Each structure stands twice: as C-alpha cells, then as structure tokens.
Amino acid sequence: MPARSITRLFADLFDWAIVYAVALIFSIRSILAFIEAITHPTSVNITTAFIDAIVTGSFIIIIFIVYFLVLPVNWNGQTIGKKFFKIHVVRKDGKPVDFQTMFVREVFGRLLVGILSLGASIIAESFVMLVSDRHQTFHDTLASTQVVDVE
C-alpha cells in the first residue's frame, strides 16, 4: 500500500533535520576558520579556511551519500525518518532497492533536478505527491520506486 503523502513529508523533514544537524556540527570548525580569515586576513588564516572548507565539504558529501544512498540499501529501503514513520522505499516490482536504484532516485531525481530547478522542483514534487493517487514523485518515477507502508 502506498505511503500517505503527509507521512512521506514528515519522514523527509525528519531526515533533513538529522542531516543538516550533523552537517552543521561538521561545519563549525570551517565556519570559525572563515570568520578568522575575514577578521584577520593573513595568508595562513585564508589557507586554513580554504582547506577547512574543502575537508568539511568532503565530509558533508560523504554524510549525504551514506545517509541517503547506503543506509536505505542496507536498511530495507529506510532512513531514520522512514523507519520512525514506518515507511520504506521499494522498487516497483516489490523487490528491495539496490545502490544503483537509490543513486538514480536521489542523485539524478532529487539532487540534480533540485539544483537545476533552483529548488522549484521540491514544491512541484510535494504538490504532485499530495494530489496523485499513488503519492509518487518525479524521483520515484525516474528510479521506478515507490514508498510504501511497512507491513
């Protein structure tokens, strides 16, 4: 049975809150280095801020990959938010998702489209999810997945 739209929405908000909180924790050192480089612009401070930004950005990318790609593949199509709200992602044929499916779904279907549309796709997808009978989004259609209630 397809998961209710409101359940999907709250699960997504839950997931993004977790990811942003972890990303913020990893970003604190980089933010402080940036402030130091702005207030005291020495070559050492600017270099430190630059290196910290690269390292922090790399860690945040790894966090996103692990949370939205690796975790669902190894945790029955669920993230922490989906587990909390008792829903999970499956392929259209009912089989569990694999890394390739989640990569297409999250990277091409969500991230790339979100960047190219300057975030407008998030609003459009939410609307489509709310009014469609299967509660599907573009990234579900693209990756041939569906979000269903855990039985």
Side-chain angles (χ1 to χ4, degrees), residues 32-42 45-46:
L32 294 175
F34 178 74
I35 291 170
E36 184 68 22
I38 295 296
T39 57
H40 301 96
T42 65
N45 288 346
I46 293 169

Side-chain angles (χ1 to χ4, degrees), residues 26-133:
F26 274 98
S27 299
I28 290 173
R29 178 186 162 107
S30 184
I31 292 167
L32 294 175
F34 178 74
I35 291 170
E36 184 68 22
I38 295 296
T39 57
H40 301 96
T42 65
S43 60
V44 172
N45 288 346
I46 293 169
T47 303
T48 301
F50 180 74
I51 292 169
D52 278 348
I54 291 172
V55 170
T56 300
S58 300
F59 275 125
I60 290 172
I61 289 169
I62 291 168
I63 290 166
F64 278 88
I65 289 170
V66 168
Y67 194 86
F68 290 109
L69 301 177
V70 176
L71 187 61
V73 169
N74 293 298
W75 213 11
N76 192 30
Q78 293 179 304
T79 56
I80 296 170
K82 284 180 178 60
K83 190 170 219 30
F84 184 80
F85 286 96
K86 295 179 173 68
I87 59 177
H88 65 130
V89 180
V90 295
R91 294 185 348 197
K92 285 273 184 130
D93 60 10
K95 293 181 181 174
V97 292
D98 56 11
F99 187 82
Q100 180 179 350
T101 302
M102 289 308 294
F103 186 86
V104 169
R105 184 178 195 271
E106 298 297 328
V107 174
F108 291 117
R110 268 196 208 207
L111 184 63
L112 189 59
V113 171
I115 290 169
L116 293 175
S117 70
L118 302 176
S121 66
I122 296 168
I123 296 167
E125 283 203 338
S126 297
F127 178 74
V128 169
M129 183 179 59
L130 289 170
V131 299
S132 70
D133 57 340

